[in-house]
Every structure is written in C-alpha cells, then in structure tokens.
Amino acid sequence: MASIHATNSLNVEFYLAANFDGASQTKLLSDESEYGVHLCQIDFARSPYTRKNITAYKQLVKLIKDEKIDCIHCNTPVGGLLGRLAGKKCGVKKVIYQAHGFHFYKGAPKKNWLLYYPIEKWLAHYTDALITINQEDYEIAKSKFILRNNGKVYYVPGVGIDLKQYNFDNLTDDRTKLRAEIGLSEDATVCISMGDLIPRKNYGVAISAIGQLKEKYPQLHYVICGIGPELENLKKLANECGVEDRIHFLGFRSDIKDLLKASDVFLFTSLQEGLPRSTMEAMASGLPIVCSRIRGNTDLIDEGKGGVLFDPKNSNECANGLDKLLSSDINAISANNLDRINDFSLDTVTRIIKEIYRSELTENL
C-alpha cells in the first residue's frame, strides 16, 4: 500500500502483479479504480520448488515486455526471485527488492544459511536497491551483499500500518459485548495472539506459561485467533497443563481489531518474523506486549517500556515475563506503544518509500 501511495503522488504508472485467485472481477475492477493501479494476474505459487512458478515467470516476462516496464519493485521470496530473474531477462533498468525477512537470521537452522543465503547473495547482483524492514537484515545486507551498479541497501520500518483504522470509540461497550460473546467475564485478564496454528508460531510455549500462572492469576485467559494443523496438539497441551478452560481457540476471525480492544495483553511467542504486523496491530490498539526476543520484535518493543521480551524456547521465561508485565504500570506501557507505533505508520513508510523512489528512479520521473 505504501508503494501505491508513493507512486500515485509521483505520477508513476503502477502495475501490481500478483496471484488474485479467489477475488471476483468486480472487486478487482473496484480496487483498480480506487487505488489507481493496473492489477495483473500472475500465477505465482507460494512454494519456490513447484514447477507452477515456471509459468508465473513466463507470464511476468510477457507483462514486462508488453507494457514496457521501466522499474520492478518485487516482494516476498518467490516474487523476489522471479521478479529479479525476469528483470534480468528483459533488461529492466531498475530492480528494487523488498525483503520481508530473510530466511537466514541469528538462530536460524544451518540449512537455511546453506540454502537461502547463497541464493540471496547471487540475486543481489541483479538488484539495484535492496529494502529491508528490520535492523538485523539491514546489517546483514549492508555487510554481505554486493548489488548491481553499486546499489544501495535501505532500511524501511515495515510496510506501514494505517493507524486511522484503530479508534477507541465506545471502547467499554465493545469490550463488554465481545467478551460476553466468547464467554469471558469483564474481570478476566485476557491475553491474545493471532496467526496460523503452525510450529513457527510456537503457541505451546504460551499455553505452558498460562499453565504455570493459573494459580496466581485465577482469572487469566488466553485467546488464540487462527487456524492450522497444530490445533489438536495445542488442545491436548492445554488439557495436560490443566488450562483447557482458560485457552480459547476462536479459529479464523475477521474482527481482530475489536478482539484486540477486548483484550488486556498481546502474547506473541513466534520463533521467526520479519517485522510482525500482528505486534504492530497490538501496539496500535494500545496493548502492552509480551513477546519473543527475535528479529522484528526487538525493532518494535523497547524492553521495559513497551513490554517484556523473552527466550521463545523457554516457557519459564515466558511465564516470568507475563507475570512481570501484569505487575507493572500497564497504562504507561500502553501509552508508550501508542506513541512508538507512529514510527511504523503507513504515513511514515509512504514518505520513506517515496524518497527511495525519488532517489532510485530519477531518470524515470
């Protein structure tokens, strides 16, 4: 979205190439009109190992040639791979890649460094500008990669979160009503997480931590929004920890903003992130944070000011961190996060992206 806003203000024609499977033609036409872009169906597949991406590459090359594209700004691992290869094939003058979190990072499995690091280092030779969204990736890219034509590495604070979407009108009424709908009392202390129920999200550590604190905090509850293959394992763990009545699996929800309003603490145990949007949404909602000490979270949360960070592989640390937070000045922590999130707002990111475009696309503007 920040890229779209930035190009609109620079009068740059924008073609958004993505896989829009499932979206109606009416919706696509509406979005084209609203955002002033051309939406182009490319059959990208999420897995980099499927032959379907050969078709996507050919479609991308055709689009670039047909529309005489001057610049590519590619995102995601697959988009970044195919976009840069297609840019080289077609002789595109300027190729920008925005990394949303390298698969190699501090603490990553050795196989990640053996596989993904050499690929990224190779693709850097076809990249004129590399945008990173967290400080760890920024330092790695600056020190390890050689870009085409002595290209530059940039740090941008994420993709931008639209703070206008987070308002607190009728907060008390919404909170009471929504809590009642999911079986929570007004005096309950509610932790919330959202994301796919997959091993990387590490929900088991959070459930174990709730189990450790069940006696000290008899009204402590944990709400999990998401679907995925780990559901039954997590339910089993909740039973083993004796907190099956404290853990609430809500499945897929379209009312996350309202659920954040109805909660007291954001609990985030993920093992790997680039710059987690869910943490930013929680901050924009004024929630104090208890989260894993990993890349991305450390960019967002000031230890002791915005919340507590812990070793994601240690449920005892998670429990101690949650206990520490619940004993702290919650209002001061909330105020800190509401202020801090402005650095990651859509307006801030759009302004930075616009300046990068001005710098990188001078000959095309």
Side-chain angles (χ1 to χ4, degrees), residues 11 35 76 81 87 91 106 126 160 170 195 212 214 217-218 278 291 348:
N11 293 319
Y35 299 113
T76 78
L81 170 65
K106 293 178 183 177
Y126 309 140
N170 302 317
Q212 292 180 47
K214 64 183 178 182
Y217 299 99
S278 56
C291 65
T348 298

Side-chain angles (χ1 to χ4, degrees), residues 44 74-82 84 97-100 103 120:
F44 291 116
C74 47
N75 297 265
T76 78
V78 170
L81 170 65
L82 300 185
R84 286 182 281 182
Y97 173 52
Q98 185 163 349
H100 293 257
H103 284 287
E120 198 63 55

Side-chain angles (χ1 to χ4, degrees), residues 9-206:
S9 66
L10 294 170
N11 293 319
V12 173
E13 195 169 6
F14 194 103
Y15 289 79
L16 179 56
N19 193 331
F20 298 104
D21 278 356
S24 70
Q25 189 64 26
T26 301
K27 172 63 174 172
L28 294 176
L29 291 173
S30 173
D31 285 348
E32 282 191 327
S33 175
E34 179 179 355
Y35 299 113
V37 300
H38 304 279
L39 300 183
C40 307
Q41 171 65 27
I42 302 292
D43 298 328
F44 291 116
R46 183 179 293 271
S47 171
Y49 308 110
T50 175
R51 293 181 62 84
K52 292 180 181 179
N53 280 320
I54 296 176
T55 300
Y57 169 76
K58 293 177 180 178
Q59 292 171 333
L60 201 54
V61 168
K62 184 177 187 303
L63 173 66
I64 293 169
K65 290 181 176 180
D66 288 350
E67 302 301 336
K68 298 179 174 57
I69 300 297
D70 298 301
C71 171
I72 296 172
H73 182 164
C74 47
N75 297 265
T76 78
V78 170
L81 170 65
L82 300 185
R84 286 182 281 182
L85 291 179
K88 179 179 183 295
K89 170 74 173 178
C90 299
V92 175
K93 296 178 181 178
K94 187 71 66 169
V95 177
I96 301 171
Y97 173 52
Q98 185 163 349
H100 293 257
F102 294 135
H103 284 287
F104 46 91
Y105 52 92
K106 293 178 183 177
K110 188 175 181 180
K111 65 180 182 180
N112 287 33
W113 283 92
L114 292 174
L115 177 61
Y116 296 110
Y117 175 71
I119 292 174
E120 198 63 55
K121 193 168 184 178
W122 165 59
L123 288 172
H125 295 293
Y126 309 140
T127 309
D128 298 289
L130 176 58
I131 298 173
T132 58
I133 63 172
N134 61 65
Q135 290 294 336
E136 182 179 318
D137 286 354
Y138 177 63
E139 295 301 329
I140 289 175
K142 275 203 312 178
S143 62
K144 303 294 186 181
F145 297 157
I146 299 174
L147 274 60
R148 185 168 69 176
N149 300 321
N150 294 314
K152 187 175 180 180
V153 176
Y154 296 90
Y155 165 73
V156 175
V159 297
I161 183 168
D162 187 356
L163 300 183
K164 294 188 291 294
Q165 294 186 20
Y166 298 83
N167 64 74
F168 294 86
D169 296 339
N170 302 317
L171 175 59
T172 302
D173 292 342
D174 288 348
R175 176 186 176 95
T176 302
K177 180 181 177 182
L178 195 51
R179 281 188 171 216
E181 288 177 358
I182 58 179
L184 296 170
S185 64
E186 186 55 36
D187 61 349
T189 300
V190 180
C191 301
I192 186 171
S193 294
M194 55 268 201
D196 294 337
L197 307 186
I198 55 177
R200 180 170 66 85
K201 293 300 183 180
N202 199 32
Y203 289 111
V205 163

